[in-house]
Every structure is written in C-alpha cells, then in structure tokens.
Amino acid sequence: PSGGFLHGRYNDTMYPPFIDTTATEDLAGSWDCGENDVFICTHQKVGTHLAKKYAVEILRRGLANRADSIYSSGDIGHGTVPWPEVMVSQHGRAHLDAHIARTHGQPRLWYVHCSYEDLPIRQIHPRARFIVVYRDPKAVAVSQYFFWKKHPLLRFPDGLDLDRFVELFLEGDLYFGDYHRHVLSWLKRRDSKIGRNQILALRYEDMVDRKLECAEAVSRFIAPEFEMGKSELVAVAASTEFDKMKSDIIANPQSFHLNPNVYFRAGKTNDWEV
C-alpha cells in the first residue's frame, strides 16, 4: 500500500517521516487558530510555494509601514510561512507559540498539506481564511514523482518508474492520501466548521497564466483593507514569475529549505506532456 516509501500514519493517511504524528495529535487537540490566521491548503506539488509568494508579496506591500512586519524581507520560507506539523515536529510546540506571539496583530500565514479532515486545529476561528490550491492531476502525479525521487528523507524505492508511480498515485495511498479526495475534502467540507466565505479556491494553472487576476483575488481575500492599486498588483504578479522566484531564492534563500536548482523543475502548466 505504501509503495515502499518511508512513512508514518495519521488517521490512516500516509505521512512523510519528518512529521511526528504525535505533534499532529497535540495540535489537533489543543490549537485554536485566530482571526488573523491564513492557511494555504494544498496537496504536494500543486503550487504551494507559488501561492505563498502571492500572499507574502501582498502582505509585504500592505504592511510596509509597520516596523514589526515579518514580511518585509519577502521571505517565503518556513521562518515566515511555517508548516505547523513540521514546525512542532522539529522544533517543539514552544516554537509555534513564539511564532504566533511574534506575528500578533498582523495576518499570519501558514501552509498545510493535509486533507480537510486531518486539519490539526481544535477550534477554527470564524474569521480565519483558507486558500485552497488545486492542479491538473496529471501534472501533480508527474511533479510528485520527480520531487519525491530527489528528496533525501523519503527513501524513494529503487527502480520505481513513472508508470508504476502513476498507478500508485491513482490507488491513492501515497503521502497525504488520495489526491482527488484531498481536493474534494477542502472544496466540499463535510461539516460547517469552515464557511464558504472563508475559502478561496485557486487553480495552479491560473496562478501561472492569469497572474494579475490571481493577485487581485488573493489581495481581496487576505487583506481587503489594503486596497492595493493596479501598479502594486502588477508588481506582485511580476514577482511570481517562475524564473524570477527561482533566481531570487538562489540569491537569498533566507529560511527557504529546498535547493531551487534541484527542486524547482519547470513552473509550467503542461510539462506533464513532455
């Protein structure tokens, strides 16, 4: 079922080994998110870092006059946009609590790869916001294959070719569970803990091909009080160009944890066809 990947289990869903599922359980039983929390909710390889870039650049500009803004450097790494389960797994709960205190009174960005059912939050604030990103599943499967194959912590099975990987992808028991069920869990939400007005759904393909519209949508959603002008939104859109993002992170990675030369593969909408 696991395809030979090194993993753990939470709620019967396969998780990568760098997540301690006891940390996830702790968060699910005790963490109440606040009104300033904004979550980027994705399966893997659907445009997570691209969505982070849109949000960070909007907040960087909108909070430019605040001396305590954590977005002033434009960092999109774990120090500015944490993955809560990984943060607690690797640094402890106090590290997460310190980040919450440090970002008090300003929009606070997180990202998660879990399904809606596995969201590790005890109480969801009615004003918390969730950006859900989805992508053509053919592209997701190809991108996951190459990403996980290079990842040093996952023990990618020797000899696993793309055709067999796609079979495993369709069977649905890989990291973070079945892709289609994952996306639907966020779009349909089986209960009323998150209202429709708390969700913004973005297609990866639109984030690549319709950048200005996406910048406008994200800005209205996470920070309508900023009332950003057209020129600012054009600048946000330009900052999300693949080559620009990659070169900026290479030049100044800050807290970004991956080597973009290794893990930033194409940034296109149809590279699965090649």
Side-chain angles (χ1 to χ4, degrees):
S2 63
F5 290 86
L6 198 61
H7 70 285
R9 295 268 171 191
Y10 177 73
N11 286 350
D12 202 36
T13 298
M14 182 174 156
Y15 276 75
F18 51 80
I19 292 179
D20 179 353
T21 56
T22 62
T24 306
E25 291 167 359
D26 170 66
L27 287 169
S30 63
W31 183 26
D32 300 335
C33 73
E35 63 179 335
N36 294 324
D37 287 315
V38 179
F39 294 85
I40 295 169
C41 310
T42 64
H43 207 287
Q44 275 202 309
K45 305 309 294 177
V46 304
T48 307
H49 301 309
L50 183 54
K52 286 159 60 179
K53 183 66 172 176
Y54 275 99
V56 165
E57 287 299 317
I58 287 163
L59 296 179
R60 183 168 75 86
R61 288 166 171 79
L63 297 170
N65 294 326
R66 284 189 57 158
D68 63 341
S69 169
I70 70 163
Y71 305 105
S72 57
S73 70
D75 177 37
I76 65 168
H78 280 169
T80 301
V81 191
W83 183 354
E85 301 100 310
V86 172
M87 175 180 270
V88 175
S89 294
Q90 298 182 356
H91 304 290
R93 179 62 181 268
H95 199 76
L96 181 136
D97 293 337
H99 180 76
I100 290 172
R102 186 165 66 104
T103 51
H104 178 75
Q106 54 189 291
R108 183 185 301 115
L109 295 174
W110 310 90
Y111 75 100
V112 294
H113 286 316
C114 60
S115 67
Y116 175 75
E117 288 79 12
D118 290 346
L119 184 64
I121 299 174
R122 178 177 64 180
Q123 188 74 34
I124 297 172
H125 195 282
R127 293 182 63 184
R129 284 146 292 175
F130 299 82
I131 299 173
V132 177
V133 183
Y134 60 99
R135 184 182 186 182
D136 184 326
K138 297 185 291 295
V140 176
V142 171
S143 192
Q144 285 184 356
Y145 174 78
F146 287 105
F147 177 68
W148 291 344
K149 190 173 184 178
K150 295 173 183 175
H151 201 293
L153 301 177
L154 303 183
R155 202 174 69 192
F156 193 93
D158 291 337
L160 179 62
D161 62 19
L162 181 57
D163 287 344
R164 176 55 186 149
F165 180 85
V166 169
E167 291 176 0
L168 293 170
F169 178 86
L170 293 173
E171 289 169 11
D173 190 27
L174 290 173
Y175 297 127
F176 310 107
D178 180 89
Y179 173 71
H180 300 86
R181 284 200 294 269
H182 184 285
V183 173
L184 288 173
S185 76
W186 282 104
L187 298 181
K188 293 193 171 182
R189 301 180 306 288
R190 57 181 173 77
D191 54 36
S192 57
K193 290 181 179 178
I194 297 177
R196 183 174 297 178
N197 65 329
Q198 292 175 264
I199 292 274
L200 173 67
L202 291 178
R203 293 174 66 243
Y204 169 80
E205 291 77 9
D206 290 337
M207 290 197 296
V208 172
D209 295 331
R210 302 169 68 181
K211 289 187 174 295
L212 184 57
E213 291 175 47
C214 286
E216 291 171 341
V218 174
S219 179
R220 284 195 307 268
F221 185 66
I222 67 172
E225 66 276 12
F226 293 162
E227 298 180 351
M228 297 185 73
K230 180 74 173 288
S231 62
E232 291 178 296
L233 292 169
V234 167
V236 169
S239 74
T240 69
E241 292 289 349
F242 179 79
D243 290 340
K244 170 75 170 150
M245 276 184 61
K246 184 174 181 178
S247 62
D248 284 351
I249 293 172
I250 290 171
N252 184 20
Q254 302 188 75
S255 71
F256 194 78
H257 64 296
L258 297 173
N259 180 349
N261 280 320
V262 176
Y263 295 105
F264 277 32
R265 198 170 61 86
K268 301 176 182 177
T269 59
N270 63 341
D271 64 301
W272 59 270
E273 297 175 354
V274 179

